[in-house]
Amino acid sequence: MTNNNHQRIRLEAVSKRWDDTTAVDAISFDVTPGQFVILLGPSGCGKSTTLRMIAGLEEASAGRIEIGERDVTRLPPGDRGLSMVFQSYALFPHLSVADNIVFGLRSRKVPKAERRERLARVAQLVDLEAYLERKPAQLSGGQRQRVALARSIISEHPICLMDEPLSNLDARLRGEMRREIKALQARLGMTVIYVTHDQVEAMSMGDRVILMQDGRIVQDGAPDELYSRPASAFAASFIGSPAMNLVKLAASDAAAVIDGETEVAVAPAAAAGGQLGIRPEDIEVQPIDGSGVPAEVIDEEYLGADTILQLGVGSQRLRARLPGKHSLSSGTRCRLAWAPEAAHLFGADGLRRDDLTPVAFSATVARTAGKGGAGAPSSTAGSTHP
Amino acid sequence: MAAMTSYRRMQLYGALLLLPAAVLLATFAYLPTIATLINSLFLPGFRGEPAEFVGLENYQLLIEDTTFWRVARNNLIYALGTIPTSIAIALGMALFVNARLPGRGFVRMAYFTPTILPMIAAANIWMFFYAPQIGLFNKLLGALGLSGVNWLGDPSVALTSVIVMTVWKEAGFFMIFYLAALQSIPPELKEASDLEGTSRWSFFWRVTFPLLMPTTLFVLINALINAVRVVDHLFILTKGGPNNATNLLLYYVYENAFSFFDRTYAATITVVILLVLAVVATVKFAILDRRTHYQ
């Protein structure tokens, strides 16, 4: 168990096909020991299927799965040396919490004394000591979740797979359990592969996020990489809340403008036909006599800590997130600005275009010559509301 | 005062809602039971004379009636022969057709077919299987060079023959309950235990079987009641013979009431049957219900 190589997981061109549908299409990745890896994606993207193939609950149609130095592609789940937490928890309803936790140890014929000792240790770890005699039906959602966790921890397998383990909990508990799972993983040095469709879980828990779409990997990197350099328009729209604004770019003179808005060039001409992405929190709203892209407020949504503005620019719509409370009646004219490095360009195929650099609002600069700094850093967006 | 009236009205309302069911139950279940109990305390009046009250004399007769004890013993063997066997076969068939196998729908239907047949029709089919000369079983034995058995005519074999037919008839019916229960067990439970390398055998005894206990209990009570209640096949197969070898309690009640015209003695046996069934059902519920997990 102490040998870290036992925990390495490698997938090589693994696919899963049912008749004529391909759920997972030749994906490959390596997980290093002790890593907390998130498989993220919308429902139907193949993330759960990938996890179940690693677990051995589904057989891979093609490709190779290695755990440690072993090829486990055709091994039964019980021989792969991993544990799993299910979305439904999969607790045995007729067994007490204690019996649920030691179920696997009994299957593996662990002696009774050792079972009791390990149970005591794990129950303390997940704070379940007072509930060991209860049946799952007598527990709250969070407690059931803990039993499921305890069951996978007690097996002392170095690898733990989690399939949307928090999706049945309410928002507050979810936040709590996120921190607990993360802390447990760090403390026990487990390798975790965690499936979720919730980007907040992915961002807050993962050391590394693998974003999937239609059975393929879209982007594989650290959470801040996915946030700051999304590899495609899909990745951009999936990470962040509210999602990144994606507006269509049209050609105009020698540059690209936001579709329907011809006044301010935002990107080089080659970007036309593609999309411009700006995160709502990177948009700075300025008075109409200021500088930037002209826009019109459509409505506002006050969320307490910040306000989300719906804005119309040309034929496109954007959202801007301003800290604090703002009262902008709909129809108010204003101007939008953002730092050039906060703007992301995507080609017509949806892929990121690093060959182009967004324009720092040359038109505005030209019109309000002397004022300068139109594309000024936007970190203080809230301070400049009309 | 007003609150009191509205409370009364609610009570009346509730009572009225219960009334139709209560009337039906009383007319067709409780009144006949009481009438039977009263009947069992009389001797039948012959030639228009009124029935004569004799207290427990009928019960005295019953205890001394060797045929009754023979029939009771038959019924016990019949119950012990049919109940565990049909439940075990039902569970086995349910597990089999619950798995992924080609033509699963067809196999399920095939297993269930005996249940759809009326008992009389099923018994007629089995008559052909059991018939001494032309019967299917004896033909098969003959093809193997073995001499045939008089399945229904030999007192030492007849009861077993009746038991086999009953098991064939009942197993498919119980299978349906087990199949429904099996399908309500979440598949993740199997997956979770697979991840720990739990063997199939161990999973069945530690998870599936305990989760099926409510069904088993239900099926057990039903099988017990059927063992005493369903005697239709005796009319076709053996008429209780030879020499009462296949006579069962309810058939004996029928014989006493409608062949020997001893209604009060038939009532006495009925009361005894009711008592025994009530005791067994109570014991089963008391012992098994506590150990049963209901979801």
Side-chain angles (χ1 to χ4, degrees):
Chain A
M1 298 282 157
T2 47
N3 181 359
N4 272 350
N5 275 337
H6 282 292
Q7 309 187 25
R8 200 200 55 163
I9 304 165
R10 164 174 287 169
L11 274 73
E12 277 171 34
V14 172
S15 296
K16 180 72 191 176
R17 281 183 289 272
W18 281 285
D19 299 328
D20 51 350
T21 56
T22 303
V24 176
D25 192 5
I27 69 168
S28 308
F29 59 83
D30 263 41
V31 177
T32 49
Q35 227 176 13
F36 198 117
V37 178
I38 309 274
L39 287 178
L40 177 69
S43 53
C45 73
K47 56 191 191 303
S48 281
T49 310
T50 306
L51 192 78
R52 291 170 60 82
M53 283 192 290
I54 299 173
L57 299 173
E58 302 281 354
E59 203 179 329
S61 314
R64 189 179 151 88
I65 301 170
E66 278 177 27
I67 294 177
E69 300 300 324
R70 288 190 307 161
D71 179 358
V72 298
T73 320
R74 302 279 172 256
L75 282 188
D79 295 348
R80 297 188 177 200
L82 40 77
S83 58
M84 184 161 169
V85 177
F86 291 82
Q87 181 176 5
S88 63
Y89 315 142
L91 302 181
F92 303 108
H94 60 296
L95 297 179
S96 68
V97 168
D99 287 337
N100 260 292
I101 295 175
V102 300
F103 186 91
L105 300 189
R106 284 189 56 186
S107 296
R108 297 201 186 277
K109 310 251 184 328
V110 173
K112 200 168 178 186
E114 192 190 335
R115 269 195 333 242
R116 207 177 304 135
E117 184 197 317
R118 274 159 82 168
L119 171 66
R121 193 152 21 104
V122 171
Q124 197 216 347
L125 202 61
V126 295
D127 208 8
L128 273 175
E129 288 152 305
Y131 305 100
L132 289 178
E133 294 312 312
R134 293 210 194 168
K135 294 275 171 70
Q138 298 164 301
L139 299 178
S140 71
Q143 288 161 344
R144 280 181 220 179
Q145 172 64 68
R146 285 202 173 86
V147 179
L149 268 177
R151 195 168 63 182
S152 77
I153 292 169
I154 203 170
S155 68
E156 292 180 4
H157 292 314
I159 298 165
C160 182
L161 308 177
M162 301 193 184
D163 188 2
E164 310 215 17
L166 303 184
S167 58
N168 288 346
L169 300 179
D170 62 55
R172 240 179 76 191
L173 255 177
R174 214 178 292 171
E176 237 172 75
M177 290 305 295
R178 273 208 307 263
R179 280 185 294 281
E180 258 179 62
I181 291 177
K182 181 73 185 148
L184 267 176
Q185 180 264 342
R187 186 168 157 194
L188 301 174
M190 288 188 292
T191 307
V192 173
I193 301 185
Y194 185 109
V195 162
T196 181
H197 61 262
D198 181 352
Q199 55 97 15
V200 178
E201 278 174 27
M203 298 300 278
S204 60
M205 298 173 82
D207 299 324
R208 172 178 163 201
V209 177
I210 297 175
L211 180 64
M212 291 181 66
Q213 182 190 21
D214 299 331
R216 291 205 179 92
I217 294 177
V218 174
Q219 191 167 4
D220 178 352
D224 61 324
E225 251 174 85
L226 267 82
Y227 179 80
S228 56
R229 282 182 59 81
S232 73
F234 168 77
S237 66
F238 206 82
I239 306 280
S241 172
M244 182 186 277
N245 295 299
L246 291 169
V247 291
K248 262 196 265 173
L249 293 176
S252 154
D253 302 338
V257 294
I258 294 173
D259 187 49
E261 198 291 312
T262 52
E263 195 181 319
V264 184
V266 294
Q275 284 176 305
L276 171 73
I278 319 138
R279 296 214 175 268
E281 49 272 37
D282 289 336
I283 293 180
E284 192 181 333
V285 179
Q286 310 202 0
I288 187 66
D289 54 358
S291 59
V293 182
E296 187 183 330
V297 176
I298 295 170
D299 66 20
E300 51 149 10
E301 194 183 358
Y302 173 57
L303 298 178
D306 36 34
T307 306
I308 310 286
L309 287 182
Q310 281 263 17
L311 301 153
V313 176
S315 66
Q316 305 290 303
R317 283 194 170 203
L318 286 100
R319 278 188 292 187
R321 177 169 169 170
L322 308 178
K325 186 167 168 60
H326 298 260
S327 305
L328 293 167
S329 53
S330 70
T332 308
R333 309 272 311 155
C334 58
R335 281 183 188 273
L336 309 179
W338 50 82
E341 61 271 21
H344 310 263
L345 292 172
F346 302 101
D349 56 358
L351 294 181
R352 183 183 188 86
R353 294 196 64 171
D354 280 325
D355 54 324
L356 303 172
T357 3
V359 173
F361 300 154
S362 52
T364 319
V365 175
R367 197 167 54 86
T368 57
K371 221 175 165 185
S378 56
S379 52
T380 53
S383 60
T384 52
H385 55 88
Chain B
M1 195 63 204
M4 193 64 195
T5 348
S6 86
Y7 176 69
R8 281 265 165 81
R9 195 174 296 162
M10 280 309 286
Q11 275 192 319
L12 184 67
Y13 188 59
L16 282 173
L17 283 174
L18 283 176
L19 194 63
V23 166
L24 280 174
L25 272 175
T27 318
F28 296 109
Y30 303 136
L31 278 181
T33 308
I34 293 164
T36 306
L37 192 62
I38 294 170
N39 260 333
S40 72
L41 303 176
F42 286 83
L43 273 183
F46 290 107
R47 299 197 188 93
E49 284 175 41
E52 184 194 348
F53 180 80
V54 289
L56 295 175
E57 195 176 300
N58 277 326
Y59 293 90
Q60 184 67 39
L61 276 173
L62 185 76
I63 291 169
E64 289 161 8
D65 179 1
T66 51
T67 312
F68 169 76
W69 288 111
R70 174 92 201 259
V71 170
R73 201 177 126 256
N74 282 349
N75 217 145
L76 184 69
I77 295 171
Y78 180 76
L80 292 176
T82 55
I83 298 172
T85 325
S86 57
I87 289 180
I89 292 176
L91 183 53
M93 292 195 300
L95 287 169
F96 179 63
V97 298
N98 193 42
R100 285 183 209 160
L101 78 159
R104 171 166 78 166
F106 178 77
V107 180
R108 281 183 191 177
M109 195 196 69
Y111 283 170
F112 193 60
T113 310
T115 307
I116 316 169
L117 287 176
M119 198 60 159
I120 299 288
N124 270 309
I125 295 172
W126 279 75
M127 272 298 267
F128 289 113
F129 295 169
Y130 283 147
Q133 261 80 50
I134 52 158
L136 177 72
F137 291 153
N138 281 352
K139 285 262 182 199
L140 288 176
L141 286 178
L144 293 172
L146 298 168
S147 62
V149 177
N150 191 352
W151 298 100
L152 295 171
D154 184 341
S156 60
V157 186
L159 187 58
T160 312
S161 302
V162 173
I163 288 172
V164 168
M165 191 231 128
T166 309
V167 169
W168 173 85
K169 180 91 172 73
E170 293 210 310
F173 183 53
F174 298 148
M175 177 201 73
I176 291 293
F177 295 104
Y178 274 124
L179 190 56
L182 279 174
Q183 287 179 348
S184 73
I185 296 180
E188 294 91 54
L189 297 187
K190 177 86 177 95
E191 294 175 352
S193 79
D194 279 350
L195 281 161
E196 291 301 336
T198 315
S199 68
R200 258 192 210 197
W201 179 253
S202 164
F203 179 75
F204 175 79
W205 288 111
R206 288 166 65 196
V207 180
T208 314
F209 191 71
L211 289 179
L212 290 177
M213 264 318 266
T215 311
T216 305
L217 188 62
F218 171 81
V219 164
L220 208 56
I221 299 287
N222 263 285
L224 171 77
I225 293 169
N226 275 355
V228 179
R229 198 185 57 135
V230 183
V231 292
D232 313 14
H233 48 318
L234 295 187
F235 287 87
I236 305 294
L237 291 177
T238 61
K239 301 220 180 338
N243 189 22
N244 286 323
T246 61
N247 205 347
L248 301 179
L249 282 169
L250 193 59
Y251 193 79
Y252 191 50
V253 170
Y254 169 85
E255 279 188 327
N256 271 294
F258 299 108
S259 302
F260 315 148
F261 291 103
D262 193 346
R263 298 271 170 92
T264 58
Y265 190 57
T268 311
I269 306 170
T270 308
V271 170
V272 171
I273 295 176
L274 279 176
L275 274 177
V276 171
L277 277 183
V279 169
V280 176
T282 311
V283 168
K284 271 187 183 172
F285 272 118
I287 293 176
L288 294 174
D289 215 37
R290 251 182 298 134
R291 299 185 186 181
T292 302
H293 170 81
Y294 291 98
Q295 293 198 311

